[in-house]
């Protein structure tokens, strides 16, 4: 099978898998599928190996560790090393603008700054000292966030929109999610750093994809490759088509083409996640609230006492107050909270 077909098949498989997980994540189908797959695998894999896999998965995803931070920096370093080593030099020889070529490095510097801030900043840890003031920030909806709920681990009353993170072992104000890539929770006080980090990471991947694509197109045009011919398996003379051209470029410049495929796929994945994150920010939702939002909570929450005949109460977003106010809550959380207290 041709390289291009294999690559497109792999890209389509990854994208379909990601979309399927996003669609099924709010239903019971995914959990049932995972349980069924785990039962099948448990019949094949020896018990000792299963225990080892469970320990590794628990360490990676249920404890705070720097594995994904190192992996993130390693992948980013490898991509930028290839861009610097080959693409940058070739583009200079072809007369590309230096400002155009330096844009990925500018995005890298900004990205690393906000990546660091996302890693080390306090996401909004709720303590006994600040719990009372944080209780005044958001209104309780009595569906997803009922009043007088207490965290029995942290021994504090839970403000609306907060959640206890089992990985970090702390309650987080306006909890969004725990991100393994930054080894930190994303909450009220560092959501802006994470959003800019995600934006610059997407932009840097897309910029390198554009620069590499323009370089390869320019190389084909300058060398007149698109005018060449080749002899096929039947001995007939054929004009070079796009499939043959891409395979030829892969054989000639394999690292650049492989890097291009990687950053293109990364651009699609990060771009989709960025759009989702911007949607949540614009509507003043968190990932935690979006994930739990379509359920009827009076039948699922054991802490809320309701009559047996009570109708299911579906969660509705009561925190959205317009686009600019919602974005202000992300980028200026302290000012937004002070304004709410005054109102």
């Amino acid at each position: 099978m041709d390289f291009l077909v294999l690559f497109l098949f792999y890209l389509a498989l990854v994208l379909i898998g990601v979309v399927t997980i996003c669609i099924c994540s709010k239903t019971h189908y995914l959990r049932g599928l995972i349980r069924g797959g785990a039962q099948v695998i448990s019949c094949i894999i020896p018990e000792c190996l299963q225990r080892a896999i469970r320990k590794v998965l628990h360490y990676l995803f249920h404890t705070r560790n720097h594995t994904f931070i190192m992996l993130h920096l390693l992948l980013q370093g490898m991509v930028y090393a290839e861009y610097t080593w080959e693409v940058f030099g070739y583009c200079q020889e072809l007369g590309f603008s230096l400002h155009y070529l330096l844009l990925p490095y500018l995005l890298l510097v900004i990205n690393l700054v906000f990546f660091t801030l996302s890693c080390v900043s306090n996401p909004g840890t709720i303590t006994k000292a600040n719990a009372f003031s944080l209780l005044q920030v958001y209104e309780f909806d009595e569906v997803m966030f009922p009043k007088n709920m207490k965290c029995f681990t942290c021994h504090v009353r839970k403000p609306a929109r907060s959640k206890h993170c089992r990985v970090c072992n702390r309650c987080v104000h306006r909890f969004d999610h725990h991100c393994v890539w930054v080894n930190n929770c994303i909450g009220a006080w560092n959501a802006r750093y994470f959003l800019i980090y995600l934006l610059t990471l997407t932009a840097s991947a897309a910029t390198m994809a554009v620069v590499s694509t323009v370089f390869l197109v320019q190389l084909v045009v300058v060398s007149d490759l698109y005018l060449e011919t080749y002899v096929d398996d039947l001995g007939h003379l054929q004009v070079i088509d796009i499939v043959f051209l891409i395979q030829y470029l892969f054989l000639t410049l394999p690292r650049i083409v492989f890097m291009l495929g990687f950053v293109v796929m990364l651009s699609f994945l990060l771009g989709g996640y960025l759009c989702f994150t911007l949607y949540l920010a614009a509507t003043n939702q968190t990932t935690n609230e979006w994930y739990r939002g379509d359920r009827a909570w009076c039948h699922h929450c054991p802490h809320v006492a309701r009559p047996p005949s009570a109708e299911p109460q579906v969660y509705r977003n009561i925190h959205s107050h317009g686009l600019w106010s919602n974005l202000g809550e992300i980028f200026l959380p302290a000012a937004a909270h002070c304004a709410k207290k005054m109102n």
Side-chain angles (χ1 to χ4, degrees):
M1 190 179 293
D2 292 334
F3 159 75
L4 181 61
V5 176
L6 279 171
F7 174 74
L8 291 177
F9 175 76
Y10 173 72
L11 180 60
L13 193 64
V14 170
L15 294 176
I16 291 171
V18 171
V19 171
T20 303
I21 290 174
C22 291
I23 293 173
C24 297
S25 62
K26 298 183 77 174
T27 67
H28 297 289
Y29 297 118
L30 184 62
R31 293 183 179 179
L33 190 65
I34 291 174
R35 288 196 196 99
Q39 290 175 357
V40 172
I41 293 173
S42 64
C43 299
I44 303 172
I45 301 178
E47 183 65 28
C48 59
L49 186 56
Q50 290 183 46
R51 286 197 298 268
I53 292 173
R54 282 195 292 266
K55 286 182 180 179
V56 171
L57 292 176
H58 182 270
Y59 172 76
L60 290 176
F61 297 103
H62 297 284
T63 61
R64 295 196 72 181
N65 62 84
H66 297 89
T67 305
F68 284 95
I69 290 180
M70 291 186 290
L71 179 61
H72 177 288
L73 295 175
L74 176 64
L75 290 174
Q76 201 168 31
M78 290 173 63
V79 169
Y80 270 89
E82 175 57 28
Y83 176 81
T84 305
W85 185 257
E86 290 196 285
V87 177
F88 189 88
Y90 288 145
C91 287
Q92 279 190 309
E93 292 178 8
L94 291 174
F96 280 57
S97 170
L98 189 60
H99 297 90
Y100 182 59
L101 297 177
L102 291 176
L103 181 58
Y105 297 106
L106 175 63
L107 291 169
L108 174 64
V109 172
I110 300 173
N111 177 257
L112 289 177
V113 169
F114 285 98
F115 174 69
T116 305
L117 289 172
S118 299
C119 292
V120 303
S121 59
N122 183 354
T125 304
I126 301 171
T127 63
K128 292 181 180 180
N130 64 12
F132 179 77
S133 62
L134 294 178
L135 282 166
Q136 318 303 317
V137 175
Y138 291 113
E139 181 183 353
F140 292 92
D141 58 18
E142 297 298 342
V143 180
M144 187 184 296
F145 302 107
K147 284 184 179 179
N148 300 319
M149 289 286 290
K150 187 175 182 180
C151 176
F152 296 102
T153 304
C154 301
H155 304 290
V156 294
R157 283 183 62 195
K158 295 179 67 174
R161 311 187 77 182
S162 66
K163 187 179 184 296
H164 183 84
C165 177
R166 296 179 181 178
V167 180
C168 297
N169 195 30
R170 60 184 172 184
C171 284
V172 177
H173 178 50
R174 198 184 182 276
F175 177 85
D176 191 273
H177 70 287
H178 180 89
C179 180
V180 295
W181 293 103
V182 300
N183 192 30
N184 199 4
C185 287
I186 306 303
W189 297 345
N190 68 347
R192 60 191 186 276
Y193 303 143
F194 181 77
L195 185 58
I196 299 174
Y197 153 71
L198 182 60
L199 178 64
T200 53
L201 187 63
T202 307
S204 62
T207 302
M208 279 196 287
V210 171
V211 172
S212 302
T213 302
V214 172
F215 158 67
L216 291 175
V217 171
Q218 187 80 354
L219 182 65
V220 169
V221 171
V222 169
S223 59
D224 293 332
L225 278 174
Y226 64 98
L227 299 176
E228 299 293 334
T229 58
Y230 70 99
V231 179
D232 62 15
D233 296 336
L234 301 176
H236 299 143
L237 200 63
Q238 300 286 348
V239 178
I240 288 182
D241 56 12
I242 186 66
V243 176
F244 187 91
L245 192 59
I246 292 175
Q247 292 183 98
Y248 174 79
L249 288 173
F250 179 75
L251 293 173
T252 308
L253 303 166
R255 290 190 296 272
I256 294 178
V257 176
F258 184 81
M259 184 201 73
L260 175 60
F262 177 74
V263 293
V264 165
M265 183 178 68
L266 197 63
S267 299
F268 278 110
L269 295 176
L270 290 173
Y273 183 54
L274 176 63
C275 290
F276 171 69
T277 305
L278 290 173
Y279 161 75
L280 293 181
T283 55
N284 204 339
Q285 297 182 78
T286 65
T287 304
N288 177 53
E289 293 163 2
W290 173 83
Y291 178 75
R292 300 165 60 193
D294 290 341
R295 302 179 185 182
W297 283 94
C298 73
H299 291 324
H300 293 278
C301 184
H303 304 287
V304 182
R306 299 187 187 278
S309 59
E311 294 184 1
Q313 296 190 22
V314 179
Y315 167 77
R316 289 180 176 83
N317 182 12
I318 64 172
H319 304 292
S320 180
H321 303 291
L323 176 63
W324 298 115
S325 177
N326 295 340
L327 293 178
E329 211 165 288
I330 297 290
F331 291 99
L332 298 169
H337 294 170
C338 290
K340 287 189 175 186
K341 287 181 181 180
M342 293 175 63
N343 294 333

